[in-house]
Amino acid sequence: PQFLDSFVDRLVGLRNKFKGASAMLSGFMGGGGGGAADDGVARDRLREFQAQIFELEDLFQDEEQTEFCVVTIPTELAMAESERLVTALGEQEIAVRNIVVNQV
């Protein structure tokens, strides 16, 4: 969720950065474009998406509603990746109570 949140912020920043160049090219190529109205709609949609990400993050951190069950296989690489996943989820305060090892 935090990755997606920062991704949305970057998209908005890039859109704002290139807005002027896009308008210039659109005018040069004869395109009318919606201009500021289209920009506002796109920005609003990105912000709505960002709000949904925050709701998802809250859901992931609610131990009464959500928990992750990590499933792995007994190879060195898979176990290392599973350990990394459990650590990352713990840092995000997301519950992991079970780990399943297949192919034993």
Side-chain angles (χ1 to χ4, degrees):
Q2 289 178 345
F3 165 78
L4 291 175
D5 179 43
S6 63
F7 177 69
V8 169
D9 285 338
R10 288 181 188 168
L11 282 177
V12 169
L14 284 173
R15 185 169 178 81
N16 289 337
K17 183 176 182 179
F18 293 109
K19 181 172 44 173
S22 175
M24 183 177 70
L25 283 174
S26 179
F28 180 72
M29 302 297 261
D38 285 345
D39 288 345
V41 169
R43 191 173 21 259
D44 289 346
R45 287 183 181 164
L46 284 172
R47 291 298 171 201
E48 288 173 17
F49 179 64
Q50 191 175 36
Q52 291 173 343
I53 291 169
F54 288 136
E55 290 176 19
L56 182 62
E57 183 177 28
D58 290 342
L59 177 65
F60 282 167
Q61 292 177 345
D62 184 347
E63 292 184 24
E64 292 183 13
Q65 295 187 56
T66 308
E67 76 176 61
F68 277 72
C69 177
V70 177
V71 180
T72 189
I73 58 175
T75 65
E76 187 174 335
L77 179 61
M79 297 297 282
E81 279 298 305
S82 297
E83 183 177 353
R84 184 195 63 76
L85 174 61
V86 170
T87 300
L89 290 171
E91 290 170 357
Q92 298 293 318
E93 300 177 18
I94 298 174
V96 178
R97 293 191 189 100
N98 298 297
I99 299 175
V100 175
V101 181
N102 284 333
Q103 300 179 2
V104 178

